Amino acid sequence: MSLLIPLYVHPAEDPGAWHRLILSAARTYAVVLNPASGPGESPDPAFTAAARALAAAGARLLGYVDTDYGVRDRAEIVEDMRRHREWYAVEGCFLDRVTADPAGLPACRRLVRDMRRLGAGTVALNPGVHPAPGYARLADLTVTFEGHWATYVSAFTRPGWTTRHPPERFCHLVFGVPEALVPLAVRTAHERGAAVCGPVSGEPPNPWAALSPALTGGEGAEN
């Protein structure tokens, strides 16, 4: 499986989830590290230890950086990535709330260039919807769906341009998935052209506070 794991809970609050994630690191595409809606104002020792253990277990670490749909100052975004690299030794970045319209493409291109200059080997963009086609050429991974399972089942459409890219370039993040249906969610993502996925059973306001049952549910979740 290629699972993208955004685990947005502090290691001190749920150490068991982080321990299970470390043990399952080899089964992930990447882990999104998000200490404080970004790297925070200072290094967090618990996240430093978790990041070190995950990296030792073979996980690819992506630092969470919020772009606020193009509103946030570019220098602040660059500084967030610099802190992630310095404090947590992340390999790449997860740029959240990215614009999806053609007008935002030049600014996003500059931002990705900034991330590469800072040493990001992997750049993931999360517009949460299918963006204008040019965005997928900028990143290693583009999240083209982030939403509830009910919406994913009933209202997902796949534009034709996505078929010109390998499935490994796309990810679907689906929350509110009944645990018994997580294997179906994984298969559905693959059928819809996304080789990377992140199905979770959690609900808003923070559906990413628990691990994906695809990691914790044993062999049945892998099929």
Side-chain angles (χ1 to χ4, degrees):
M1 286 187 300
S2 287
L3 293 171
L4 182 65
I5 307 294
L7 182 56
Y8 298 164
V9 63
H10 196 277
E13 184 178 339
D14 193 349
W18 284 90
H19 180 65
R20 292 192 299 275
L21 177 56
I22 292 163
L23 292 178
S24 304
R27 296 167 58 198
T28 66
Y29 170 86
V31 175
V32 181
L33 210 64
N34 187 13
S37 296
E41 295 301 316
S42 59
D44 185 318
F47 273 97
T48 301
R52 189 179 299 117
L54 282 166
R60 174 191 290 153
L61 299 179
L62 305 181
Y64 176 95
V65 181
D66 184 13
T67 73
D68 196 11
Y69 300 109
V71 173
R72 192 168 179 224
D73 186 83
R74 181 178 166 192
E76 293 181 0
I77 295 171
V78 170
E79 177 61 15
D80 271 6
M81 183 55 186
R82 187 195 66 77
R83 292 177 178 180
H84 271 303
R85 291 277 292 167
E86 181 179 337
W87 298 344
Y88 306 114
V90 300
E91 187 272 345
C93 62
F94 180 82
L95 298 178
D96 197 21
R97 300 202 296 169
V98 172
T99 54
D101 58 278
L105 191 54
C108 189
R109 184 179 295 112
R110 289 191 294 272
L111 200 55
V112 171
R113 192 178 302 126
D114 289 338
M115 299 297 104
R116 300 290 191 196
R117 288 188 184 123
L118 284 169
T122 300
V123 175
L125 302 180
N126 182 21
V129 296
H130 283 97
Y135 285 87
R137 292 193 290 270
L138 301 180
D140 302 284
L141 187 72
T142 303
V143 178
T144 54
F145 181 89
E146 180 179 353
H148 198 277
W149 171 246
T151 304
Y152 192 56
V153 169
S154 64
F156 179 90
T157 57
R158 182 187 179 192
W161 65 261
T162 61
T163 62
R164 299 196 292 271
H165 297 274
E168 292 77 19
R169 301 286 292 276
F170 296 111
C171 174
H172 295 165
L173 294 177
V174 188
F175 55 81
V177 184
E179 189 162 344
L181 298 183
V182 165
L184 173 62
V186 173
R187 290 197 301 272
T188 301
H190 290 184
E191 290 166 1
R192 291 174 171 181
V196 183
C197 62
V200 297
S201 298
E203 298 278 358
N206 182 13
W208 316 110
L211 275 181
S212 170
L215 275 184
T216 61
E219 295 299 317
E222 297 185 31
N223 300 322

